[in-house]
Amino acid sequence: MLDVNSFAPGKVTYNSFNISFDIPFAVGIYALNHDVDRDVWTLSYVNRYDDWGKGYTIEGMNALMMHAAKVYGAHTFEGECAKENIGSRRVMEKLGMVYDHSSSYTKNDGSATFESDVFLLTIQKEKG
């Protein structure tokens, strides 16, 4: 489990839930969605193809997760990726997430359904 108090963001700066890197262009979009009923924060991200494998997703999502933990008290995070998406699986594992269960999801336009794996991470709440 990650300890919120030991987070070191490196080159990431906070501006609400926007992330900026020390590069002159956008590399992708990183987001968290709070499912209030389950009290789970769901990860979403997409990167430019040219920036895959450079660590931006890990750094950006880690910063968002820690920001959500510190500001909003978030402690459970969930991510889902298609079984064949090895890159996203590695991102979630590097974020400290662990496999929880298999599932499936359908594209918004209904054109395809993917078998998927769901990953979870629970972090320690800050001690008051």
Side-chain angles (χ1 to χ4, degrees), residues 100-121:
D100 186 64
H101 66 275
S102 292
S103 187
S104 65
Y105 65 90
T106 302
K107 290 175 73 172
N108 289 339
D109 64 5
S111 63
T113 298
F114 301 92
E115 294 299 312
S116 63
D117 289 328
V118 177
F119 293 80
L120 289 176
L121 172 68

Side-chain angles (χ1 to χ4, degrees), residues 7-101:
F7 175 65
K11 295 182 178 180
V12 177
T13 57
Y14 302 112
N15 179 11
S16 182
F17 266 53
N18 297 316
I19 299 296
S20 80
F21 293 96
D22 293 335
I23 52 177
F25 53 86
V27 296
I29 299 169
Y30 309 99
L32 289 174
N33 181 49
H34 186 208
D35 180 335
V36 177
D37 293 336
R38 297 186 309 136
D39 195 21
V40 172
W41 294 72
T42 304
L43 286 69
S44 299
Y45 54 85
V46 62
N47 281 338
R48 289 173 0 122
Y49 179 78
D50 292 348
D51 291 312
W52 287 8
K54 295 182 180 178
Y56 296 135
T57 303
I58 295 161
E59 192 169 352
M61 290 310 306
N62 198 14
L64 282 177
M65 292 162 68
M66 294 302 99
H67 179 76
K70 288 180 179 182
V71 175
Y72 300 104
H75 55 88
T76 303
F77 299 91
E78 179 180 76
E80 182 175 15
C81 66
K83 287 186 179 287
E84 65 268 11
N85 189 340
I86 302 304
S88 282
R89 179 183 193 91
R90 287 187 183 139
V91 164
M92 290 185 225
E93 290 170 345
K94 287 180 181 182
L95 288 169
M97 303 178 88
V98 295
Y99 171 83
D100 186 64
H101 66 275

